[in-house]
Amino acid sequence: ACITAGSTNQAAPTTPIIMHPLSPISDSNNGFDKSATTDGLMSNSWSSSTLNVAHGGCLTADDLERLREMVSYFCLSCLVPHAELQIQQLTELISNKKGMSRSFLSATKRWFGSNKPGVPNTPLPTVSYTTDSTELQLRRLGDLCFMFGAYSLAFTAYHAAKRDFNADGAWLYYAGALEMAALSLFMQPTDPTKKAHDYAEESIMTYLNSCRMPQFATRATLFSAECLRGRGLYGEAAKQLIRMTSEDSDLRSALLLE
């Protein structure tokens, strides 16, 4: 009876907690057990039965061949024709909607309003588009072409969309179209690197100065730096990464400097 009572009051052993190195909690208060090892953490987190599961082990060679045929049939007979139909319909829809009224409206805004992003002491206009607007349909056309590797057609759509967004003063949409236009140029085998670099630079500066969205500017910088690195322009890539360092985020600045 004494043994039973003693075992009932005995506290259960606690599992050591491994804190993330970037955690704001200090090591002195987090209960960190320095004796814990990676092997111990693995044994406490996952059982050996979970680690040794072989998924798809019951599939035969015939099953794998049928899966390949099914995926190939789906892509060639369903997915690609559907995407081609969507691209054709969007092209016809945009061609029918874009007419003299759009050209007249754009010309009027160029005469009576500024169409330069980042004009000092100018409040940012709130521009919103409906889902069936010509501008967003044009952007969707570019996205479809980009996803299926038609980068030349994608650049044409993004270039036309960014002109419309610029005329409307929709700087967030404008910066996004510029960013995708730059990526479309970078993805082409014989791309004009200088033009793509200029588009990426303008996109980053628009995100920073006009939109006040450093997180989007960071994303565009990472994309552009990777594209420049692939072209062997390591100096230009380093300049873009260093420019995004600031006192707003020490962690982001440290990662970019690294």
Side-chain angles (χ1 to χ4, degrees):
C2 294
I3 296 175
T4 305
S7 60
T8 304
N9 296 330
Q10 185 178 2
T14 58
T15 303
I17 301 175
I18 306 299
M19 299 300 296
H20 193 277
L22 298 181
S23 174
I25 304 175
S26 61
D27 290 344
S28 59
N29 299 326
N30 59 16
F32 177 78
D33 187 0
K34 298 184 182 298
S35 62
T37 60
T38 305
D39 296 337
L41 179 63
M42 291 291 291
S43 61
N44 291 333
S45 301
W46 299 283
S47 62
S48 58
S49 60
T50 305
L51 295 175
N52 296 329
V53 171
H55 298 284
C58 297
L59 294 175
T60 63
D62 293 337
D63 294 333
L64 296 177
E65 185 62 29
R66 293 192 192 98
L67 286 174
R68 294 190 188 96
E69 293 177 357
M70 186 271 292
V71 173
S72 178
Y73 175 81
F74 171 76
C75 292
L76 296 178
S77 302
C78 302
L79 182 60
V80 174
H82 175 72
E84 291 177 346
L85 180 61
Q86 289 293 313
I87 292 174
Q88 181 181 358
Q89 291 177 349
L90 285 173
T91 303
E92 294 176 355
L93 181 64
I94 293 168
S95 300
N96 294 332
K97 283 188 176 182
K98 291 179 72 69
M100 290 299 296
S101 59
R102 176 67 189 178
S103 301
F104 178 76
L105 180 61
S106 300
T108 304
K109 289 187 176 182
R110 282 195 294 269
W111 277 101
F112 295 100
S114 172
N115 62 339
K116 295 294 184 181
V119 178
N121 301 325
T122 302
L124 291 177
T126 303
V127 181
S128 60
Y129 298 101
T130 59
T131 55
D132 59 343
S133 63
T134 306
E135 294 81 4
L136 291 190
Q137 295 295 333
L138 193 56
R139 171 61 197 260
R140 184 186 175 199
L141 175 62
D143 292 340
L144 275 174
C145 294
F146 188 90
M147 284 191 297
F148 285 90
Y151 300 116
S152 179
L153 294 177
F155 171 76
T156 303
Y158 290 133
H159 187 269
K162 68 103 176 172
R163 287 186 301 181
D164 291 344
F165 294 142
N166 186 25
D168 293 340
W171 304 129
L172 183 59
Y173 294 96
Y174 172 72
L178 275 173
E179 181 182 0
M180 293 305 300
L183 291 177
S184 299
L185 286 176
F186 274 124
M187 293 299 292
Q188 298 181 37
T190 58
D191 68 287
T193 305
K194 180 65 170 60
K195 187 175 183 179
H197 179 59
D198 293 341
Y199 276 22
E201 284 284 323
E202 188 174 355
S203 172
I204 295 169
M205 298 309 298
T206 304
Y207 279 136
L208 284 176
N209 300 331
S210 300
C211 304
R212 303 292 192 271
M213 291 186 173
Q215 67 274 23
F216 286 176
T218 303
R219 180 193 65 188
T221 300
L222 293 176
F223 279 142
S224 179
E226 183 63 21
C227 293
L228 292 172
R229 186 195 64 82
R231 296 292 186 271
L233 302 175
Y234 302 105
E236 296 296 333
K239 289 179 182 178
Q240 285 190 343
L241 294 173
I242 293 174
R243 184 182 56 193
M244 285 303 301
T245 59
S246 63
E247 297 180 355
D248 297 337
S249 175
D250 294 336
L251 177 59
R252 182 185 65 203
S253 299
L255 290 174
L256 294 177
L257 286 173
E258 181 183 1

